[in-house]
Amino acid sequence: MSGSCGRNPPPFPDNEDQEAELDTRVLDSDEDDDEGEDIFTGARSKPITPTSAPDEGDIFSEEGSYIRSNVHHATNGLHSDEELDLFTEATVELTLTNTTSQGRREIIGPTASACNTTHVPNSILKPSVVTKTMEELEEEESGDQFELNIAVTNPEKIGDGMNAYMSYKVSTQTTLPMFLNKTFSVRRRFSDFLGLYEKISAKHSLLGCIIPPPPQKSVVGMTKVKVGKEDSSSAEFVEKRRAALERYLQRVVAHPSLLQDPDVREFLERDELPRAVNTQTLSGPGLLKMINRASDAVNKMTIKINESDNWFESKLQEVENEEQLLRRLHAAVDSLVNHRKELCSNTAVFSKSVAMLGSVEENSALSRALSQLAEVEDKMEQLHQQQAFSDFFILAELLADYVRLLGAVRCCFEQRMKVWQRLQEAQSTLQKKREAEAKLLWANKPEKLQQAKDDINEWESKVSQYERDFERVTCTVRKEVLRFEKEKARDFKQHIVKYLESLLHTQHRLVKCWEAFLPEAKAIA
Amino acid sequence: MMQEGLDDGPDFLSEEDRGPRAVNVDLQTDATLQVDISDALSERDKVKFTVHTKSTLPNFKQNEFSVVRQHEEFIWLHDSFVENEEYAGYIIPPAPPRPDFDASREKLQKLGEGEGSMTKEEFTKMKQELEAEYLAIFKKTVAMHEVFLCRVAAHPVLRKDLNFHVFLEYNQDLSVRGKNKKEKLEDFFKNVVKSADGVLVAGVKDVDDFFEHEKTFLLEYHNRVKDASAKSDRMIRSHKSASDDINRIASTLYTLGTQDSTDLCKFFLKVSELFEKTRKIEARVAADEDLKLADLLKYYLRESQAAKDLLYRRGRALVDYENANKALDKARAKNKDVLQAETTQQVCCQKFEKISESAKQELIDFKTRRVAAFRKNLVELAELELKHAKGNLQLLQSCLGVLKGDT
């Protein structure tokens, strides 16, 4: 998963990763750099610099060498070395984006600065905030008062033949201060969107965030477009993809922590994005991903967490049920779309046939009525066509998106499982080290004893680290799920209402058609 | 008022019909002879129609009586008209098509097989749907058999036919078995010969403008009606499939809605209910289009064929007449068998003139009937479409009102 912008992904999965959550209140000193990085997304100051990470690396060596270089931010005019200013600005930033987070600001300030100036082992610093209740969490989510509108438009084919690709215009209009301008646009291609997903996923999914999945690749669809087939099916494909890319981006920025991610900002703002090459299906990273997914599936089956409350278990079950049902619903809507398209073409054919019949009919009034009937059927064909369009874009695509989103939610639960697993493994290793020490004591080998004691210390701190991780991920997942559910409810209601309105519109037009026809029919004599 | 027709049809399969049904053709009901199908029963392979007659004619023993008839007996009656030379000059009312429940039965069977893969609600719903479809086909076949009888009863000459009276009155089985293989083969060859002959006869130019025009017109009309009938069937089938999909959507939404009692679930339940109702309306739209449009076109496909048959018979008679004329001329020239040739020629002439006279009237009547039938059905179609669209509109508006009010 190496991005081409110079960042190394976190060694997966045992190393500590940065904290992407704006809202987590559990702080660890070793996390601070990364955390400061994400809390603060001001355009002017900058999250952790490459220089600070290696320092942390010395102390927290067991955490591995996660380096996050934000070289690419330089082009946005961000200063890269303001560590001290970092936290003061962090607090300022919070008030801008979340007015209900007063409490949090105070908390984050002192501990963060403390972290930076003293090298305190993580085991000593305890989180100084109590986990908030669910309601408070929800309130904080709704504090965003800034506007951000994204549109994906103007698909253009660039190049020729098999190397051709579609370029889309991504326009942003916003009042958020973290962006350089209020309105701006860039051109992006499909692999850029996939690249964005890879980057976000690498950073945030390990923390238990629900990452919106990007639109799916389609070799057939794209080949038709590349080859230059200018028919309605390839136009439909491009439109389908454009709409999907737009929804994808809108979901990404609707997520509070993803919005803060500099990669997202760069995607929206930067003129030229380095080509994301790791999105090709059969490339090295691609294969690695597939293998990882397969092993994940095996792991999933064997892990069972002893939970104090079964919120997680029952929620996962709910999610799985819902995914099944949405799949079924999607299949039914898909079938409806196809039958309506069929109805549309059959109606067109019938309309012509009736017109022919009318032209041969001798009785002039009947002949006229029959050609009027042909016209009515023609109008119905257009109505059916529009309705099929609505069926697809309003309903079918919504359902397809949510089937995939629920998959992402499940991944989120899986992440938590993995963190738990890691904790279990650490605990058992600690146990083994303790036993080894006991054995050495018994066998009276003092030279090795010091080593054993060091080992125990190391693993003790790891265990407590992982415990905290698990707490944090649990918290994040819970919050994510609640946020997701709210968004889902809103999305569904909005779309279904829109769909019903489209049905209403169709029926109105139907009434008009037949009302116009009725007097013609009555005039037959 | 909007709900009228939504909950149509009982769930059982045997049909209890009372009174005259709407028929595709506009016929004058005459007090001297009224025929209708008062009841019908569907058994495994066959349908039994109860033919009910009310008559003041002296030919019948009673004024009102009923008999039970099956499809084959209708066909026997129709064929007896066709084979009767006396009726050569009339448009013989087309025979009703055979009751065809195969497709419906197949669907019911498939449903039974797939019972395991769907929820109980879905199964019950689909079963009801299929039973309603079965019932609709049943009603249609009854209507078509009734129309045939009514047409015969309305025809000034055919109503007096003896076979017809036997058909109506004889309360035993008429013992008309279906044609066996040999007879079916004979029929097949007869048809082949007839169509070859038809081409020859059609090629003969008619002296009479009226008939020449009718010939051209009917040929073209028949072809176009055939086309329109086939296309309307396809269109209506797509419509039915779409309404079946809405059914599935409604039941899946219902299942989603029952998963929990959140706001979203309540929302799903309301939408599911709405789709249930609109689905019923859509199904009725498809059914009404079928009755008023597809059936109308199918009927006139058969009637125009009957009219073509009449023209063929007349054409045949004309050819015979012309041949007889030629034969007479030859006989006179040779002065051999002149009398015989003269009688033949006389017979042919009479036959031809008789047919021509009645054919003209028949064809004019056909036109009148056709225009009236189309008018009636198109008006009814438009009215029903409007009614259903308005019904849908009202449902959607009230549901949207509730949904928007909640959120």
Side-chain angles (χ1 to χ4, degrees), chain B residues 4 19 40 50 52 66 82 107 129 131 210 217 253 267 273 322 359 376 387 391:
Chain B
E4 190 190 284
T50 305
H52 167 249
S66 293
V82 171
K107 276 196 207 169
E129 269 300 295
E131 281 175 354
F210 174 82
F217 165 73
L253 274 174
F267 183 88
E273 201 183 308
E322 285 180 350
K376 178 168 185 281
K387 173 176 149 192

Side-chain angles (χ1 to χ4, degrees), chain A residues 16 21 24 34 62 89 93 140 145 152-153 171 190 195 210 232 248 278 397 447 465 467 492 494:
Chain A
E16 200 37 273
E21 263 313 299
T24 51
D34 297 347
E62 63 268 25
E89 282 176 313
E93 184 57 22
E140 284 160 7
Q145 287 154 9
V152 174
T153 50
S171 319
F190 186 68
I210 300 174
S232 62
Y248 167 63
N278 57 338
E397 288 283 81
E447 348 54 76
Q465 172 65 50
E467 270 169 357
F492 268 89
Q494 220 172 37

Side-chain angles (χ1 to χ4, degrees), chain A residues 63-80:
Chain A
E63 306 309 310
S65 53
Y66 176 73
I67 297 171
R68 188 173 136 72
S69 73
N70 299 299
V71 173
H72 52 273
H73 287 298
T75 59
N76 283 353
L78 302 178
H79 308 300
S80 34

Side-chain angles (χ1 to χ4, degrees), chain B residues 18-296:
Chain B
R18 285 163 268 303
R21 242 180 315 277
V23 290
N24 277 337
V25 284
D26 207 15
L27 298 165
Q28 308 285 57
T29 41
D30 188 340
T32 54
L33 182 61
Q34 273 179 16
V35 184
D36 65 272
I37 296 184
S38 58
D39 193 6
L41 200 64
S42 166
E43 283 178 11
R44 273 174 36 105
D45 275 358
K46 45 197 176 202
V47 183
K48 293 207 170 113
F49 303 95
T50 305
V51 179
H52 167 249
T53 317
K54 249 190 186 158
S55 173
T56 54
L57 289 174
N59 325 52
F60 301 111
K61 295 199 193 78
Q62 299 165 296
N63 280 353
E64 192 170 347
F65 48 90
S66 293
V67 292
V68 177
R69 292 284 173 246
Q70 291 183 38
H71 176 72
E72 288 77 26
E73 292 163 309
F74 286 76
I75 301 299
W76 163 81
L77 184 60
H78 171 262
D79 289 348
S80 75
F81 290 151
V82 171
E83 287 158 13
N84 190 332
E85 287 273 336
E86 291 293 304
Y87 302 142
Y90 306 120
I91 297 182
I92 311 293
R98 199 180 68 86
D100 184 12
F101 295 101
D102 288 345
S104 192
R105 242 181 243 132
E106 208 180 289
K107 276 196 207 169
L108 266 169
Q109 198 175 10
K110 263 202 212 133
L111 179 69
E113 285 167 12
E115 183 172 358
S117 70
M118 50 179 94
T119 68
K120 188 143 196 309
E121 294 99 27
E122 271 177 25
F123 178 74
T124 325
K125 243 209 280 179
M126 287 235 70
K127 185 150 172 273
Q128 277 175 353
E129 269 300 295
L130 286 177
E131 281 175 354
E133 206 180 285
Y134 195 94
L135 193 63
I137 298 178
F138 190 76
K139 277 188 186 167
K140 256 212 267 184
T141 192
V142 168
M144 292 198 267
H145 284 75
E146 193 180 69
V147 163
F148 170 70
L149 293 178
C150 292
R151 281 265 278 125
V152 175
H155 195 282
V157 175
L158 293 175
R159 80 207 311 231
K160 298 188 197 133
D161 182 85
L162 193 60
N163 283 335
F164 184 48
H165 291 180
V166 167
F167 178 93
L168 290 176
E169 206 177 16
Y170 186 63
N171 57 11
Q172 307 277 351
D173 193 357
L174 287 173
S175 292
V176 273
R177 49 174 179 71
K179 297 188 172 169
N180 63 20
K181 269 199 209 141
K182 177 159 169 279
E183 283 165 341
K184 281 193 185 150
L185 205 60
E186 279 172 7
D187 268 356
F188 174 71
F189 280 117
K190 254 194 248 173
N191 276 332
V192 170
V193 169
K194 181 176 162 203
S195 38
D197 196 29
V199 173
L200 276 166
V201 165
V204 174
K205 178 116 174 69
D206 209 315
V207 181
D208 190 329
D209 275 342
F210 174 82
F211 284 104
E212 186 61 27
H213 168 80
E214 284 298 308
K215 206 168 34 171
T216 333
F217 165 73
L218 271 175
L219 194 64
E220 185 142 33
Y221 188 81
H222 177 80
N223 287 337
R224 293 195 181 176
V225 163
K226 197 189 225 173
D227 190 52
S229 172
K231 309 256 159 83
S232 79
D233 277 345
R234 267 211 289 272
M235 177 180 84
I236 291 167
R237 252 206 302 276
S238 300
H239 212 142
K240 281 206 183 104
S241 307
S243 102
D244 283 342
D245 287 327
I246 300 179
N247 200 8
R248 275 164 67 196
I249 293 174
S251 30
T252 316
L253 274 174
Y254 180 77
T255 316
L256 269 167
T258 52
Q259 294 295 305
D260 206 341
S261 53
T262 59
D263 249 5
L264 184 60
C265 287
K266 293 201 190 98
F267 183 88
F268 281 150
L269 285 174
K270 289 203 189 96
V271 177
S272 160
E273 201 183 308
L274 169 72
F275 279 146
E276 259 305 315
K277 295 196 186 127
T278 59
R279 196 265 315 167
K280 285 207 176 95
I281 296 186
E282 284 302 317
R284 278 234 61 92
V285 170
D288 286 339
E289 280 177 353
D290 199 18
L291 271 173
K292 301 295 171 190
L293 203 49
D295 277 358
L296 174 73

Side-chain angles (χ1 to χ4, degrees), chain A residues 328 335-336 339 342-343 346 349-350 353 356-357 359-363 493 501 507 514 522 524, chain B residues 122 213 217 220-221 224 227-228 231-232 234-235 238 245 367 370-371 375 385 389 392 404 407:
Chain A
R328 221 192 306 171
S335 177
L336 177 64
H339 284 135
E342 206 181 87
L343 177 59
N346 285 343
V349 164
F350 176 64
S353 186
M356 295 279 279
L357 185 64
S359 68
V360 100
E361 172 60 60
E362 297 178 310
N363 179 301
K493 284 187 191 172
E501 283 172 344
Q507 294 298 322
W514 289 106
K522 286 190 170 155
I524 302 173
Chain B
E122 271 177 25
H213 168 80
F217 165 73
E220 185 142 33
Y221 188 81
R224 293 195 181 176
D227 190 52
K231 309 256 159 83
S232 79
R234 267 211 289 272
M235 177 180 84
S238 300
D245 287 327
K367 200 174 313 246
R370 183 175 80 238
V371 172
R375 182 186 192 281
E385 293 263 8
N392 258 334
K404 280 182 171 162
T407 50

Side-chain angles (χ1 to χ4, degrees), chain A residues 9 30 61 83 86 104 180 272 298-299 309 316 356 431 452 455 473 476 502 517:
Chain A
D30 62 319
S61 55
E83 278 187 13
L86 191 68
R104 261 198 289 146
L180 290 172
E272 290 288 321
V298 171
N299 276 340
D309 73 287
L316 183 60
M356 295 279 279
Q431 184 63 19
D455 277 351
V473 171
T476 306
S502 82
F517 176 70

Side-chain angles (χ1 to χ4, degrees), chain A residues 181 183 195 255 287 304 364 451:
Chain A
N181 301 308
T183 40
H255 191 300
L287 274 175
K304 174 111 177 92
S364 58
Q451 178 62 42

